[in-house]
């Protein structure tokens, strides 16, 4: 094991890039100019990242450059005395001897780490991490299933490949969508534009590179149903001769509490406390789309959606929206039903994780309840079934059966809801033709 770690140090010191996101040494000022450039129609967004080698007396170490809170931040990446990769001298409980593994792990929730890595920026003359070369449909399907195994937030995971024998002007996008790997043919025309499933989508309809065509899907594109969230890194998952490779795969993000309740469901909490929690969970600045659901303190069958919302150029702030099931068992937000009627809280929240006509903010970042961070959700009687559609033991409910009965105490009068001052009517409507985005789904 010691010799393997020493060999890795030699490789890193030799200046060989690990992947497309691994940039050569550059002066910090020059690199920031490159990092901030708009690429493929996209400016840097929260979590955009790459790794920059360091040289001279710092040879063998690296700088992780991450767009966080609207600026480029820089973080030292180096081996600790035990031979494990660390960020800012912390391993965050991980023990990775492979640099690519560490960067892949930072794409997932990790205690003590503030921002999940998103779109990587590829260095000049290197292939993007998401391009896997020749790969059959069967192998690509198996690779995708392996990459998303155990994950609840798999929607939007992707990579690109070519079928053996394909031309350089052709490739296939493999995208995890609606619970399965899907495959989409992309063909570059003689004028440099692209057809995706025989359609010119987004900037693909104009001359552009392969990277420009693929990475446009990190943002919403009309006619395309899913935003790319995470690339399957070619080096990480396609194999290695090193017997230590993938010795510690990224831990899956657990999306349900021990009782089978969704992680975003919190116990009874007052408005001010929930606003403070949302801000703290976002690292001090409320993020647009960050959310959780809390139970109302004196109303055990009612809930409040706390979600960060940004209007215009103003900073995002915590907003609070009353949730209650009506006499028919259908859940409503601020007395309105958005999308298809849902008789479970989870079903209603999941719908708001994609654009819904009339609802202005996609729920994109669930805030889990921290251990010891407040009262747990009430879970007696039939309340869990109304939340998740399952019993407390998480056994699926029958497909047919009695409708959820509303508590007689529940009603649509909101005049007594003194702590829910923000109403959806105060916010602009979502675009009617918005493209569905699935970010996190319990």
């Amino acid at each position: 094991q010691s010799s393997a770690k020493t060999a890795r140090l030699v490789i890193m010191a030799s200046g060989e890039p690990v992947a497309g996101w691994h940039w050569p040494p550059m002066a910090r000022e020059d690199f920031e100019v490159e990092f901030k450039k708009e690429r493929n129609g996209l400016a840097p967004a929260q979590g955009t990242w790459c790794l920059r080698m360091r040289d001279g007396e710092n040879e063998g170490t690296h700088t992780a450059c991450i767009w966080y809170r609207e600026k480029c931040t820089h973080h030292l990446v180096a081996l600790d005395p035990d031979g494990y990769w660390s960020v800012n001298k912390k391993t965050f409980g991980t023990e990775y001897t492979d640099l690519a593994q560490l960067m892949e792990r930072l794409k997932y929730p990790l205690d003590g780490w503030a921002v999940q890595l998103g779109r990587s920026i590829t260095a000049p003359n290197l292939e993007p991490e998401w391009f896997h070369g020749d790969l059959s449909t069967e192998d690509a399907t198996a690779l995708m299933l392996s990459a998303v195994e155990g994950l609840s937030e798999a929607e939007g995971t992707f990579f690109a490949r070519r079928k053996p024998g394909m031309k350089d002007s052709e490739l296939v996008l493999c995208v995890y969508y609606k619970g399965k790997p899907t495959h989409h043919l992309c063909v570059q025309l003689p004028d440099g534009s692209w057809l995706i499933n025989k359609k010119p989508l987004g900037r693909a309809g104009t001359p552009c590179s392969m990277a420009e065509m693929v990475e446009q899907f990190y943002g919403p594109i009309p006619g395309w149903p899913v935003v790319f969230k995470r690339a399957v890194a070619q080096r990480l998952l396609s194999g290695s001769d090193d017997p230590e490779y993938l010795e510690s795969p990224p831990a899956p993000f657990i999306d349900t509490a021990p009782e089978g309740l969704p992680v975003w469901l919190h116990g009874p909490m007052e408005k001010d406390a929930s606003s403070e929690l949302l801000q703290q969970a976002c690292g001090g600045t409320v993020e647009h789309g960050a959310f959780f659901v809390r139970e109302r303190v004196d109303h055990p069958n009612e809930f409040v959606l706390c979600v960060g919302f940004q209007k215009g150029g103003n900073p995002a702030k915590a907003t609070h929206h009353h949730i209650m099931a009506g006499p028919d068992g259908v859940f409503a937000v601020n007395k309105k039903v958005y999308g298809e009627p849902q008789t479970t809280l989870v079903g209603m929240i999941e719908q708001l994780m994609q654009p819904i006509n009339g609802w202005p903010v996609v729920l994109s970042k669930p805030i889990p309840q921290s251990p010891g961070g407040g009262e747990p959700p009430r879970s007696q009687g039939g309340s869990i079934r109304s939340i998740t559609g399952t019993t407390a033991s998480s056994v699926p409910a029958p497909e047919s059966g009695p409708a959820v009965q509303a508590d007689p105490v529940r009603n649509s009068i909101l005049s007594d809801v003194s702590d829910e001052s923000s109403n959806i009517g105060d916010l602009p409507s979502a675009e009617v033709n918005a493209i569905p985005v699935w970010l996190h789904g319990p």
Side-chain angles (χ1 to χ4, degrees):
Q1 186 178 23
S2 176
S3 62
K5 292 174 184 174
T6 302
R8 281 197 183 87
L9 266 176
V10 172
I11 290 174
M12 300 317 304
S14 70
E16 278 190 37
V18 169
W21 42 256
H22 203 186
W23 285 60
M26 291 178 67
R28 175 169 171 161
E29 295 77 11
D30 295 338
F31 176 79
E32 285 203 4
V33 172
E34 287 293 318
F35 189 87
K36 293 176 182 178
K37 285 181 180 178
E38 183 174 297
R39 286 177 168 81
N40 310 328
L42 297 170
Q46 182 92 335
T48 299
W49 69 284
C50 66
L51 203 68
R52 175 168 54 93
M53 298 180 191
R54 305 173 79 198
D55 55 8
E57 63 181 14
N58 297 311
E59 193 172 48
T61 64
H62 315 269
T63 299
C65 305
I66 303 169
W67 192 259
Y68 179 58
R69 294 186 181 179
E70 302 302 319
K71 65 181 180 180
C72 180
T73 61
H74 303 264
H75 310 269
L76 175 65
V77 178
L79 287 169
D80 70 4
D82 295 323
Y84 299 120
W85 287 105
S86 65
V87 184
N88 298 334
K89 299 183 180 181
K90 297 180 181 179
T91 62
F92 301 100
T94 67
E95 294 184 348
Y96 293 121
T97 57
D98 187 286
L99 185 59
Q101 279 191 315
L102 172 66
M103 304 315 295
E104 187 74 7
R105 182 64 182 88
L106 296 180
K107 296 179 181 179
Y108 300 82
L110 185 64
D111 287 344
W113 180 249
V115 57
Q116 296 176 47
L117 302 186
R119 174 171 62 99
S120 63
I121 296 181
T122 303
N125 303 318
L126 290 179
E127 287 186 339
E129 63 168 340
W130 43 257
F131 183 67
H132 287 241
D134 288 351
L135 203 62
S136 69
T137 300
E138 293 76 13
D139 289 343
T141 297
L143 174 60
M144 178 62 77
L145 292 175
S146 173
V148 303
E149 184 177 1
L151 297 177
S152 64
E153 49 177 15
E155 200 90 353
T157 301
F158 81 99
F159 62 87
R161 63 183 175 91
R162 288 195 176 100
K163 287 184 179 180
M166 264 188 167
K167 301 176 182 178
D168 289 346
S169 59
E170 300 173 325
L171 78 155
V172 178
L173 283 175
C174 183
V175 185
Y176 198 78
Y177 177 59
K178 288 190 174 181
K180 64 181 180 181
T182 60
H183 305 270
H184 309 272
L185 177 64
C186 305
V187 179
Q188 190 171 34
L189 303 178
D191 66 356
S193 64
W194 291 81
L195 294 179
I196 305 168
N197 294 337
K198 301 183 180 180
K199 296 180 180 179
L201 299 177
R203 65 182 295 130
T206 59
C208 61
S209 67
M210 177 179 71
E212 290 172 330
M213 183 273 293
V214 172
E215 294 192 352
Q216 68 170 334
F217 294 114
Y218 274 110
I221 298 296
W224 182 261
V226 58
V227 168
F228 288 173
K229 299 304 297 181
R230 180 179 298 104
V232 178
Q234 191 273 340
R235 182 175 183 270
L236 183 73
L237 294 175
S238 61
S240 169
D241 294 332
D242 188 338
E244 289 188 276
Y245 202 71
L246 280 183
E247 62 187 10
S248 304
F253 177 56
I254 305 302
D255 69 342
T256 55
E259 292 175 324
L261 298 175
V263 292
W264 43 256
L265 180 62
H266 296 233
M269 193 183 310
E270 298 287 356
K271 179 181 178 180
D272 290 345
S274 63
S275 296
E276 183 177 355
L277 172 61
L278 187 68
Q279 181 175 354
Q280 291 177 345
C282 293
T285 302
V286 175
E287 296 178 24
H288 183 78
F291 79 98
F292 65 89
V293 175
R294 59 183 170 91
E295 294 176 324
R296 291 193 66 203
V297 174
D298 298 321
H299 302 264
N301 292 317
E302 298 179 17
F303 307 90
V304 178
L305 170 62
C306 182
V307 57
F309 178 73
Q310 183 177 17
K311 185 176 182 179
N314 298 319
K317 66 178 183 179
T319 61
H320 306 265
H321 309 278
H322 182 258
I323 299 174
M324 187 175 70
D328 57 356
V330 174
F331 279 86
V333 184
N334 298 333
K335 298 191 289 185
K336 296 180 181 180
V337 176
Y338 294 92
E340 295 295 323
Q342 299 291 328
T343 56
T344 67
L345 180 63
V346 167
M348 188 207 71
I349 293 297
E350 285 186 343
Q351 283 203 143
L352 299 182
M353 289 180 176
Q354 55 187 317
I356 294 291
N357 187 26
W359 179 260
V361 53
V362 172
L363 305 185
S364 58
K365 180 179 179 179
I367 304 301
Q369 185 177 26
S370 302
E375 292 185 52
R378 305 178 180 104
S379 57
Q380 283 75 33
S383 60
I384 288 183
R385 181 175 293 278
S386 68
I387 293 169
T388 66
T390 63
T391 63
S393 59
S394 298
V395 177
E399 294 185 3
S400 60
V404 177
Q405 299 298 314
D407 190 312
V409 176
R410 294 188 231 173
N411 56 67
S412 60
I413 300 175
L414 297 182
S415 59
D416 64 328
V417 188
S418 57
D419 70 329
E420 320 312 333
S421 58
S422 300
N423 283 315
I424 204 68
D426 299 329
L427 310 179
S429 298
E431 294 181 7
V432 174
N433 296 320
I435 303 305
V437 180
W438 194 269
L439 299 175
H440 301 269

